[in-house]
Amino acid sequence: MKKYFILFGLMTLISPIIKSQAPTEPLLSPLQSGAYLPGIINPRDYANPGFSGVAIVNYNLFFNANKFIDKHGNSVDNIDLIPDPEGRSIPIDTDISGYINALVVAYVSPEIEALGNARYIGVLSPYYATADFRATLEGLPNGNRSVSGGAGGIGDLMVAPVLLTWSNVNDKMDLTAGYIASIPTGRYETGADDNIGLGYWSHIFQVFNYFYLMPQKASAVFIGNTFETHSKVKDADVRAGNRYTIEYGLSQYLSERLDVTVQGGHTWQVNKDSGNDVYWNTDYKDRYSTVGVGVGYWPVKQAFYVNAKWTTNYSIRQHFNYNALQVQLIWAPQLLRAKAGN
């Protein structure tokens, strides 16, 4: 669920206009990253669901970005003319918008006594992403020029072969831990400007704690920890650096059906990109933080849930600055059937 391919595609379209020298071989993007994005999940998404059966979650994310923040924390609003002995650059105005639809199908087991009454959760999550961009180049000899482009398709597949979740005896705390794999099934080719997949495996290890401050779990505080490591990029001797993410937030029910949420998160690249094909300066590591607020409602109590959330990011290095509107839908088919039968 990445947006970096848009920036690299943008540079591919612009380069003939500004007459920069194109590489003789396909060039790997220096904007390597992980597969996990903080701020997508909602505060209670990793809590013990309290039932066994199938749950279906659909995330709909609409985003817009109009600036890229470089390794120094500065907004990129110019492109260097290469080669140019005078070191000149031209102003560039960009606008990027897109849509991501992620479908999550989860199976939740009954409590397993041998594992301390833990519930097993298995997850399968494909997603579709599309993005469009426009750039206006100013100060060219023949006047301002505009270019545009886009890409879309099925992205990498997320699979959680094992998540385990526990609740303590007085329902004051939940603990959820497990492993998720991001499998590079999305379209990827080194040097292409329409990649959807990352081109490598990501291995994601997570631990989430929930603390309930009021009866019936009306107030939920969560703290989530995610560590991510990666395989080499397809057809290249490059391995993206590991990432660590911490997330936190609060969900507060105002009635049996209505809740409000607030959450934040921070991601840090903790070690350098590596490999013989790395040509960029690896001393600079990317990072970003997110904040989001939302409101949710159960049209069918405990069986069908809708949440709308606004998210943005800040304190960024080597990332897009974006704003996003997300609509999350949750179904529990067996609970819906049970309620329909009553």
Side-chain angles (χ1 to χ4, degrees), residues 109-119 166:
S109 78
E111 292 183 345
I112 304 171
E113 185 176 356
L115 296 176
N117 291 326
R119 293 183 186 273
W166 294 263

Side-chain angles (χ1 to χ4, degrees), residues 177-243:
Y179 162 73
I180 300 174
S182 176
I183 303 173
T185 54
R187 183 176 67 248
Y188 177 83
E189 182 179 349
T190 296
D193 61 9
D194 61 349
N195 290 327
I196 295 296
L198 293 175
Y200 53 80
W201 285 72
S202 291
H203 305 283
I204 303 166
F205 303 90
Q206 297 185 300
V207 178
F208 279 72
N209 288 99
Y210 286 86
F211 305 94
Y212 301 105
L213 310 179
M214 299 178 65
Q216 282 96 38
K217 299 184 176 182
S219 295
V221 175
F222 89 96
I223 301 174
N225 296 273
T226 300
F227 179 78
E228 187 177 2
T229 186
H230 317 285
S231 70
K232 287 185 178 180
V233 178
K234 176 185 175 183
D235 299 328
D237 185 15
V238 171
R239 188 186 302 271
N242 299 334
R243 265 81 179 167

Side-chain angles (χ1 to χ4, degrees), residues 68-74 281 284-285 316-318:
F68 182 80
I69 308 301
D70 68 12
K71 59 190 177 185
H72 302 295
N74 300 318
N281 187 343
Y284 296 93
K285 301 182 181 70
I316 308 163
R317 296 294 185 273
Q318 300 186 134

